[in-house]
Amino acid sequence: MSFIKKFIEQETINRRNLLLGAAYGVGGLVAAKTLGAGSAQAALTDPAVAWSYRNRTNPYWNEIVSGGEAFVESLGKSKDFLTHLINEGSSEKSLSDVKSLLAKTNGNLALAIDTNDAPNARPVVESVAEAGAYVSTLWNKTDDLHPWDFGDNYVSHMSWSDEGPAEKTARILLDAMGGKGGVVHLGGIASNNPAIERLNGLKNALKDYPDVELLDAQPADWDTQKANQVMSSFLTRYGDEITGVHCANDTIAYGVLEALRAEGIEDMPIVSYDGNPQAVDLVGQGKILATVFTNPHWGGGITAALAYHAAIGSFKPSEEPNEHREFYGPTVFITPDDAAEFKKSFIENVPTYDWTDFWGPSNGQIMYK
């Protein structure tokens, strides 16, 4: 199947109906009691636009922020108009930076943010709503936190349905292992939603491979150096028992590859996630069996666009259906067969997006928990 055939996991109709029932039933009751819900608010005038993220040295986050910059340039502004709040993986810094910017702008702010871990999402959203600003979140929030509970100020949340794609990469890995042996998993920050779901994807696949043992699963904090250390310790502890490696993202895979090379191991089956340019090259070379692209450039731009256009009154979030406020983004599966085509279409030639087509590539894929 060509990579252009986007792999967006199709969920069961019963679970979709469960979400909609909760969203339009319980959610509607909660909204009347929640901070800022139902209150009228004037549109902001020329709000500041900010992106709060981990760091720009990570290729994934560099693509996220490049999308944010492309969006502000579409407004006729310099990319320097975008304010960068870099938290370096600290939820405490993330919240502190947001509060400081809210005070500096007097709430005249459109914020796009990955809150770094799920529990940090609520205090961020509450601070934004209290200040009369607008926020769209990406990736991390708790299951009980929903945009529709905060009137218009909490504009949207986008995540990706990671279990399905991670399970698919795991099956490729387990087949490459011959359906037997030992696999290790190196994950992200333990409390991150995607880290949890990507490990679950591996565990789901393992149910059909009784002769494969999950030797160990440890967080590597989405970090190459940490992954190198974790993989080195795995090799010391398990040695030849390890016959395959499941990585929660590409930057983890880079650290794993370095640890393996240090031990003279060149042919270990590995899968990863994110579709970063270096990883796509490694897939093309057969050094990584598969990765999954979540289109971070589009995700970064559209998250900022949603917050900004809600802030200036281009649309009213509370009048949108819930599937426009909490939804899955698109994913593309990359294997050696289509890595070259993918690289040409998405890396060498970054697509131009209409930043007012708010839910276009996502196809309105409904989130559920």
Side-chain angles (χ1 to χ4, degrees):
M1 179 182 295
S2 170
F3 79 93
I4 298 173
K5 184 77 171 178
K6 292 181 173 63
F7 177 76
I8 303 177
E9 187 182 5
Q10 300 300 306
E11 311 298 354
T12 66
I13 190 67
N14 288 339
R15 297 183 85 171
R16 287 178 183 270
N17 288 343
L18 177 63
L19 169 71
L20 290 173
Y24 290 101
V26 176
L29 294 173
V30 174
K33 302 178 182 179
T34 306
L35 180 63
S39 59
Q41 181 173 337
L44 301 182
T45 301
D46 196 23
V49 181
W51 238 113
S52 174
Y53 57 99
R54 198 161 296 130
N55 61 61
R56 199 156 189 176
T57 59
N58 181 301
Y60 177 85
W61 287 106
N62 185 58
E63 286 299 308
I64 285 280
V65 180
S66 75
E69 290 172 338
F71 163 66
V72 299
E73 287 179 323
S74 77
L75 302 175
K77 301 177 183 295
S78 164
K79 68 179 183 181
D80 294 333
F81 181 77
L82 182 69
T83 298
H84 299 257
L85 302 178
I86 301 174
N87 62 55
E88 295 292 355
S90 167
S91 296
E92 292 77 9
K93 188 175 189 306
S94 169
L95 179 59
S96 175
D97 287 348
V98 168
K99 288 182 175 180
S100 295
L101 188 58
L102 287 168
K104 181 178 179 180
T105 61
N106 196 29
N108 193 37
L109 175 65
L111 173 67
I113 184 172
D114 171 22
T115 59
N116 190 61
D117 65 19
N120 192 42
R122 182 173 292 278
V124 165
V125 168
E126 289 178 346
S127 297
V128 169
E130 185 176 3
Y134 292 78
V135 59
S136 288
T137 57
L138 189 77
W139 280 120
N140 288 293
K141 74 172 185 63
T142 53
D143 293 353
D144 62 347
L145 180 68
H146 303 290
W148 49 83
D149 292 341
F150 289 80
D152 293 317
N153 299 97
Y154 188 4
V155 180
S156 64
H157 176 77
M158 178 165 59
S159 187
W160 281 260
S161 183
D162 283 342
E163 284 193 22
E167 180 177 340
K168 190 171 181 178
T169 63
R171 289 181 182 277
I172 287 178
L173 173 68
L174 300 174
D175 286 341
M177 293 166 55
K180 59 184 178 181
V183 64
V184 292
H185 171 84
L186 290 86
I189 296 172
S191 58
N192 277 184
N193 293 358
I196 294 167
E197 291 189 357
R198 293 175 194 181
L199 175 56
N200 286 343
L202 171 61
K203 290 179 177 179
N204 290 342
L206 283 168
K207 295 173 184 177
D208 293 330
Y209 293 81
D211 294 328
V212 178
E213 179 183 0
L214 177 58
L215 297 171
D216 212 332
Q218 295 293 333
D221 299 345
W222 309 117
D223 183 75
T224 298
Q225 183 176 357
K226 177 72 176 291
N228 182 272
Q229 295 167 353
V230 172
M231 189 64 206
S232 294
S233 69
F234 282 167
L235 290 168
T236 299
R237 181 173 181 181
Y238 299 105
D240 293 342
E241 292 181 64
I242 302 173
T243 55
V245 186
H246 190 266
C247 301
N249 78 342
D250 294 335
T251 53
I252 288 173
Y254 306 153
V256 167
L257 286 167
E258 287 300 319
L260 292 171
R261 275 194 283 267
E263 296 296 326
I265 302 170
E266 297 287 346
D267 56 354
M268 179 76 70
I270 298 171
V271 294
S272 62
Y273 209 110
D274 279 351
N276 290 334
Q278 184 180 351
V280 172
D281 286 339
L282 291 168
V283 171
Q285 297 164 20
K287 295 181 180 179
I288 293 177
L289 298 177
T291 187
V292 179
F293 180 66
T294 57
N295 203 341
H297 182 83
W298 177 79
I302 211 65
T303 302
L306 283 162
Y308 176 83
H309 281 287
I312 66 171
S314 299
F315 75 102
K316 192 173 179 62
S318 58
E319 294 178 354
E320 293 292 330
N322 284 20
E323 59 264 32
H324 281 178
R325 304 192 69 184
E326 191 168 300
F327 55 92
Y328 284 132
T331 53
V332 179
F333 195 72
I334 307 165
T335 67
D337 292 338
D338 45 45
E341 184 184 359
F342 175 87
K343 182 177 180 179
K344 180 178 178 180
S345 299
F346 279 90
I347 297 174
E348 294 175 350
N349 300 285
V350 177
T352 299
Y353 296 103
D354 176 1
W355 299 117
T356 62
D357 183 15
F358 300 134
W359 303 280
S362 74
N363 293 328
Q365 293 297 298
I366 302 171
M367 291 184 65
Y368 74 91
K369 296 294 181 186

